[in-house]
Amino acid sequence: MTNDNPSPTRFAPPIGGLRKIDGHDVFVHRAGSGGPAVVFLPGASAVGLDYFGVQQLVSRFTTAVVYDRGGTGYSDPRPLTRTAAQVAKELRQLLRAENIPGPYVLAAHSVGAFYAHRFAQLYPRDVAGLVWLDGLNRDWDQFMPPAASLAAMERMTPGPEQLGELRTALGEMNAELLAVYPADLREPLLAAKASDDWIRVGLTERTMLAGLAAELRAGPGLPDVPLIALSVVGVDPQLPEQLSRQMNDARGRMDAALVATVARGEQRILSDTFHHRLCFDRPDAVAQAIRDVIARAAHP
């Protein structure tokens, strides 16, 4: 699946605004004040405002930023055959254009961790700390069972012929997840997330995983900054139970290996939620991990 001819359909963001970066509008919403600023990097099929709830918690003690990388969400449509380096560069330019000084704490969910890792490889001095929100890992295939390899997950991505049933299932899930959002934010966001364009973009991002991991493996490891990894090990009802348990075991070992690469790394296991629900079910755990990373960055 490719997205080389993105649709011009646009939705107006119900909050936040657009910042022109390299001739393209990029959506950004900031809340709170102080630093280091925390930047949320969305997972595939997610957008910045999916992290609005936890952003509000974090904004009580520092600046919190959500955004949509180019080609996704409220940002300008554009081809998604982009490297992690291009996405990292765009994010750095956005933060500078918003006059948000670094270094930053990057809170990265799912595939957003690939982009956070690349940002840290390219701009290590701009990173004060990292929070892995059940994030992907460049060494994923070394830990996961073959049925859950990055290439296998790409092959399992639904095709455009399944848009109809996907729209129904995603609509029900999103309505439940966003039920606590203010109506003036929830309703337009649900409408946009139900559109064919946004669903296609989310599916396209799921077909780029192996290439992104290979790009990261060609670069250095993470800088030695505070890192907390939230490892979600709830048995996901969307997966076969045995595969879900195998993946959870692999997740535990993978994240333990990740945090061992830095001096101030910590893994926290969460068994009461699932991958896509983490920031909705446990915003308290996410905010606490961010607060703790900030504290450790302030006191090396």
Side-chain angles (χ1 to χ4, degrees), residues 203-223:
L203 296 178
T204 299
E205 285 204 296
R206 295 171 182 268
T207 66
M208 302 162 53
L209 306 177
L212 293 173
E215 180 184 350
L216 291 172
R217 288 195 298 272
L222 294 172

Side-chain angles (χ1 to χ4, degrees), residues 1 44-45 156-175 190-207 238:
M1 180 181 300
S45 298
M156 289 187 292
T157 300
E161 68 279 359
Q162 297 171 271
L163 277 177
E165 59 188 81
L166 270 176
R167 189 184 305 108
T168 299
L170 289 173
E172 294 174 354
M173 180 187 75
N174 289 327
L190 285 174
K193 289 171 77 70
S195 69
D196 285 356
D197 292 334
W198 278 35
I199 295 173
R200 286 194 187 99
V201 165
L203 296 178
T204 299
E205 285 204 296
R206 295 171 182 268
T207 66
Q238 296 182 355

